Amino acid sequence: MISQQTIQQILSRIDIIEIVGGFVKLKRRGTNYLGLCPFHNEKSPSFTVSPAKEIYKCFGCGRSGNTISFLMEHEKYSYVEALRWLAARYNVEIEEKELSPEAREQQQVADSLFIINAFAQKFFSETLFTTEEGQDIGLSYLKERGFNEEIMRRFQLGYCPDGRDVFARAALAAQYNPEYLLKTGLVVQREEKMIDNYRGRIIFPIHNQTGKVIGFGARIIRSNDRAPKYINTPENELYVKSKILYGSYQARQAIDKADECLLVEGYTDVISLHQAGIENVVASGGTSLTIDQLRLIRKYTHHLTIIYDGDSAGVKAALRGLDMALEEGLDVKLVLIPDKEDPDSYVRRIGATAFREFIAANKKDFVLFQLEVALKDAANDSNKKAAVVNQVAETIARINKAEDFTRQQDYIRQSAEILHIEESGLHTLVNKYIRERIAKLENKAAASANAGADGIAPDETGSLIPPDEDSINLLFRHEQNERGMIRVLLEYGLRTWDDETLVADYVLAESAELADLIDNKRLLTILHLFKNWYQQGLEPTSKSFLYHEDQELSTLAVSVLDVHLEISPNWKEHYEGKIATPDDLYKEDVDSTMRYLKLRKIYRLMEENQADLGKPHTDEEMMVLLQTHKHLKEMEIALIQGLGTVIFK
């Protein structure tokens, strides 16, 4: 709900070199800057930042974007979070759009909870490191567990004093609202008095994607059969357990670089692995994975490796909810820790290098592992074996992304071999579950025409077929010509074309006849947006789209502009005015780009005319068609001569 005026203020102050350079060491190379890519491991720098175009591009991994998308990729911020970060950086006061009373109240509550959580985190950490009780009890316990102070501070661990209301009194003395204190779960009310909820416990702060504390986990130290081992923050405006993965803030960049997320069960598993240098790890908190947690993982990577205890309880915990992971398009592997150990104790016993080697050597495919476990349980019971066949068919049917079609077929083949059944029979059963799922979706949302469009649908014979190829059409058929028209419009649109018009006038007038050639619907969106803004008297430029709130449009604009070779300052100094640069030749660039598109239009008309010539006609109609063909051929020759090249159709 940030106002457009605030957004424009932020955009006007952005310095891409300053922002990106805060995360990546950049060295000037001509008019651009070069550095090691933060999104993949490389030894030779291929990450290029263009201050003139306000974009970055890695020629190693292909990542590209603007300042905002860099923050979103690198820090895993949302669009609004990136804007708020930049506003704070440039001291821009954020003006909010008018909110409804309910939304405003909810936002005020959330802001208050953030403030209280930050106070609590600082209080607990200071208690752990600076008080006698904290050092004697909390710090000594953590050190006995093998944690060093550096890792404790990185995860902002703390200790809540064992006294009845030490924290509560400190919070009330700081004049925090008692109602909000109760909502955080940090205190509870007993006999009209506030008492500490986490007393005598180690405190694990839980962070959101921007590093703010949204809740806490509290582990008991002393043995107490009546008290739960862990207490967590109750659900409130900030803390929704089903949407949280512990350690995701600390692990976000490591997951991105490794292109793999390791999932463990507990807080200490995460911290131990981080301390060992294995940082692409998060924890589910001991609950079954939820759809929101899986989508959070997918935000970073499509590769998920689950590391759980090797006992039967650990196996069952690992398998819970993973069918949903397949639906989300995740490639899921399982690793079971041997000898009744957990990741925390195992990595401390064998070391980081051996742990990594163990993970790499013992990854099991989720679908096939689930099948092996189920077959082992079924033993020689034919009814149970039949249930296993149905179970694996239903699991495979959940792989519903078009790009995973081949993977689904591989699972059918491998599962049929393990089950010793006909592949065609399993194929039919998988199709049956797909049809049932689509039917349920259609019944649930009968009004929606796209009820079953989220996955692979069966054709009339029941065979699996991928969905329509509309998305594939974006990848071919003269895409460069289409992008070229958008590029010259964004780069040169406000420059002079002739004495009376600008480049935008010329391109928009010509595009009226050429828009039907553009297969990429997102490019058409940019064209129409530019046209609307221009007709409203605005002056749209490349920046209007580079920082558009629609991230798909922003990314597309970046890829259209891309980082090309630019003239170095030394070259300019010696040759400026003597040799024409691409910038000097912008009219020729515009003209050739539009000529290529016109040629495509003529070729399409010639094909249609040629097809028409093959049909029966009267002599008069045939003469008209022949004259049309001749006229189109003359136009083709004129355009080719203007391009100064030979076109092979």
Side-chain angles (χ1 to χ4, degrees):
M1 302 300 289
I2 298 174
S3 71
Q4 195 61 39
Q5 289 84 350
T6 301
I7 293 173
Q8 291 307 315
Q9 280 188 57
I10 295 168
L11 297 185
S12 68
R13 300 189 192 185
I14 285 176
D15 180 343
I16 191 169
I17 300 302
E18 179 188 345
I19 299 302
V20 175
F23 299 93
V24 180
K25 187 176 180 180
L26 297 173
K27 188 175 182 180
R28 185 161 188 152
R29 181 77 59 85
T31 57
N32 293 331
Y33 288 76
L34 203 63
L36 292 172
C37 180
F39 302 117
H40 79 289
N41 294 314
E42 62 177 7
K43 294 181 180 178
S44 300
S46 59
F47 184 77
T48 303
V49 184
S50 168
K53 294 181 178 177
E54 297 189 38
I55 59 177
Y56 67 86
K57 167 80 175 181
C58 176
F59 292 94
C61 66
R63 298 281 186 92
S64 61
N66 56 44
T67 309
I68 292 177
S69 62
F70 178 85
L71 290 171
M72 293 173 69
E73 284 273 357
H74 193 270
E75 297 299 292
K76 301 305 175 187
Y77 291 166
S78 68
Y79 178 73
V80 173
E81 288 167 346
L83 284 176
R84 290 186 183 278
W85 188 93
L86 288 165
R89 177 68 175 262
Y90 291 111
N91 295 315
V92 175
E93 187 175 344
I94 293 178
E95 179 184 297
E96 305 272 357
K97 293 180 183 177
E98 190 62 35
L99 298 174
S100 67
E102 295 80 9
R104 185 176 296 279
E105 182 183 355
Q106 187 175 14
Q107 185 171 328
Q108 287 173 346
V109 171
D111 289 343
S112 298
L113 297 184
F114 273 129
I115 292 168
I116 292 172
N117 285 344
F119 170 82
Q121 180 273 311
K122 187 178 179 182
F123 176 89
F124 294 139
S125 289
E126 287 180 353
T127 301
L128 177 68
F129 290 109
T130 64
T131 69
E132 186 177 346
E133 181 185 349
Q135 292 172 342
D136 291 346
I137 300 175
L139 201 58
S140 62
Y141 169 81
L142 289 168
K143 286 183 175 179
E144 282 175 16
R145 292 289 303 264
F147 300 126
N148 59 43
E149 285 197 23
E150 182 188 347
I151 202 70
M152 294 182 211
R153 292 186 185 276
R154 189 192 306 175
F155 282 84
Q156 299 183 329
L157 302 188
Y159 173 76
C160 183
D162 202 28
R164 182 178 175 84
D165 59 355
V166 180
F167 170 77
R169 282 188 284 108
L172 291 171
Q175 298 186 337
Y176 288 114
N177 187 318
E179 180 186 347
Y180 293 156
L181 281 169
L182 288 168
K183 192 180 274 283
T184 63
L186 292 163
V187 300
V188 292
Q189 197 156 16
R190 296 283 187 272
E191 298 174 357
E192 299 184 0
K193 287 186 178 181
M194 296 281 191
I195 63 170
D196 295 349
N197 196 25
Y198 301 151
R199 56 190 183 277
R201 292 174 177 263
I202 296 294
I203 306 298
F204 297 86
I206 298 165
H207 304 82
N208 66 7
Q209 301 311 299
T210 62
K212 289 184 176 180
V213 178
I214 56 175
F216 300 90
R219 190 195 192 284
I220 198 167
I221 298 177
R222 297 191 177 95
S223 57
N224 187 333
D225 294 337
R226 294 190 303 170
K229 184 177 179 181
Y230 280 96
I231 301 175
N232 291 306
T233 296
E235 296 215 346
N236 56 39
E237 282 78 359
L238 302 182
Y239 186 87
V240 181
K241 192 172 185 180
S242 63
K243 296 183 178 181
I244 294 165
L245 288 168
Y246 178 74
S248 60
Y249 172 69
Q250 290 85 354
R252 65 200 190 286
Q253 292 173 22
I255 295 171
D256 205 20
K257 274 198 170 183
D259 194 21
E260 179 185 33
C261 177
L262 305 181
L263 178 76
V264 293
E265 198 167 2
Y267 303 144
T268 55
D269 294 328
V270 170
I271 298 171
S272 280
L273 291 175
H274 269 262
Q275 185 169 282
I278 302 167
E279 297 184 351
N280 57 322
V281 56
V282 298
S284 61
T287 59
S288 299
L289 279 171
T290 67
I291 196 73
D292 288 314
Q293 289 172 327
L294 291 168
R295 286 172 181 167
L296 180 58
I297 291 168
R298 196 184 63 186
K299 180 178 177 181
Y300 304 116
T301 179
H302 283 79
H303 303 287
L304 172 63
T305 298
I306 299 174
I307 307 172
Y308 272 12
D309 304 353
D311 57 20
S312 58
V315 171
K316 288 178 181 177
L319 294 177
R320 281 198 304 264
L322 284 188
D323 279 0
M324 291 185 297
L326 298 178
E327 289 181 353
E328 290 301 312
L330 289 170
D331 176 28
V332 185
K333 307 293 185 192
L334 295 178
V335 176
L336 299 178
I337 301 296
D339 305 324
K340 296 183 179 180
E341 292 199 72
D342 54 31
D344 172 20
S345 62
Y346 197 58
V347 73
R348 281 191 282 109
R349 183 167 68 82
I350 68 172
T353 302
F355 188 88
R356 283 194 183 94
E357 291 170 354
F358 175 81
I359 297 300
N362 290 275
K363 288 181 182 178
K364 298 176 182 290
D365 183 272
F366 156 63
V367 174
L368 301 180
F369 178 75
Q370 185 185 50
L371 177 57
E372 289 173 9
V373 171
L375 277 178
K376 187 176 179 180
D377 289 343
N380 295 319
D381 190 318
S382 57
N383 290 328
K384 286 184 178 180
K385 281 187 176 179
V388 170
V389 173
N390 280 285
Q391 179 189 348
V392 75
E394 188 172 5
T395 296
I396 294 171
R398 290 178 180 269
I399 304 172
N400 59 8
K401 306 292 183 187
E403 60 269 25
D404 294 330
F405 180 73
T406 302
R407 186 158 70 104
Q408 188 182 60
Q409 302 308 296
D410 287 341
Y411 277 136
I412 291 174
R413 177 180 54 77
Q414 293 178 67
S415 298
E417 289 177 4
I418 294 171
L419 290 164
H420 302 294
I421 60 174
E422 290 291 330
E423 185 178 330
S424 59
L426 185 56
H427 202 290
T428 301
L429 191 57
V430 170
N431 287 345
K432 170 180 171 287
Y433 281 112
I434 291 173
R435 286 194 294 273
E436 286 179 358
R437 190 184 72 250
I438 292 173
K440 286 178 182 176
L441 288 171
E442 288 173 343
N443 292 335
K444 191 174 182 180
S448 172
N450 300 316
D454 66 327
I456 300 172
D459 63 10
E460 292 177 358
T461 65
S463 299
L464 287 172
I465 57 172
D468 67 81
E469 299 183 357
D470 183 53
S471 59
I472 299 172
N473 289 335
L474 306 183
L475 304 177
F476 65 102
R477 296 207 60 202
H478 311 292
E479 176 99 0
Q480 291 308 311
N481 296 145
E482 301 167 10
R483 287 170 173 260
M485 182 173 72
I486 302 302
R487 177 182 60 79
V488 297
L489 189 61
L490 297 185
E491 286 195 342
Y492 311 129
L494 300 183
R495 294 195 185 188
T496 303
W497 178 247
D498 55 34
D499 292 339
E500 298 180 355
T501 60
L502 301 179
V503 169
D505 298 308
Y506 170 68
V507 173
L508 292 174
E510 294 292 329
S511 69
E513 294 294 324
L514 301 172
D516 62 321
L517 294 173
I518 299 180
D519 295 318
N520 189 328
K521 305 300 185 293
R522 303 299 284 175
L523 288 174
L524 270 178
T525 301
I526 291 179
L527 178 65
H528 293 150
L529 266 177
F530 189 103
K531 184 176 181 180
N532 289 339
W533 290 339
Y534 187 67
Q535 289 175 344
Q536 291 170 26
L538 303 175
E539 295 186 345
T541 64
S542 59
K543 199 166 183 176
S544 308
F545 294 92
L546 284 178
Y547 294 106
H548 197 279
E549 62 182 4
D550 183 334
Q551 288 307 297
E552 282 190 35
L553 281 189
S554 173
T555 302
L556 182 57
V558 170
S559 68
V560 165
L561 294 168
D562 223 337
V563 180
H564 298 293
L565 293 174
E566 296 183 14
I567 306 300
S568 73
N570 290 336
W571 195 96
K572 261 189 175 177
E573 184 181 334
H574 288 92
Y575 298 103
E576 191 167 20
K578 300 174 184 177
I579 300 177
T581 67
D583 206 43
D584 299 326
L585 300 173
Y586 75 88
K587 288 186 180 180
E588 287 81 351
D589 190 0
V590 173
D591 183 61
S592 63
T593 298
M594 300 310 293
R595 281 177 181 269
Y596 274 113
L597 281 170
K598 289 175 185 177
L599 268 175
R600 281 184 56 198
K601 181 76 172 183
I602 287 170
Y603 288 148
R604 182 173 291 186
L605 292 173
M606 288 174 72
E607 287 173 2
E608 292 172 358
N609 193 66
Q610 196 71 33
D612 218 3
L613 279 168
K615 298 174 184 177
H617 292 286
T618 64
D619 291 345
E620 187 177 343
E621 289 171 339
M622 187 63 72
M623 184 60 68
V624 171
L625 290 171
L626 289 170
Q627 287 175 346
T628 301
H629 181 77
K630 180 183 177 184
H631 178 63
L632 290 170
K633 196 69 181 173
E634 288 170 352
M635 291 175 67
E636 176 197 17
I637 292 168
L639 284 168
I640 290 173
Q641 288 174 343
L643 286 167
T645 186
V646 177
I647 305 294
F648 291 95
K649 188 177 174 184

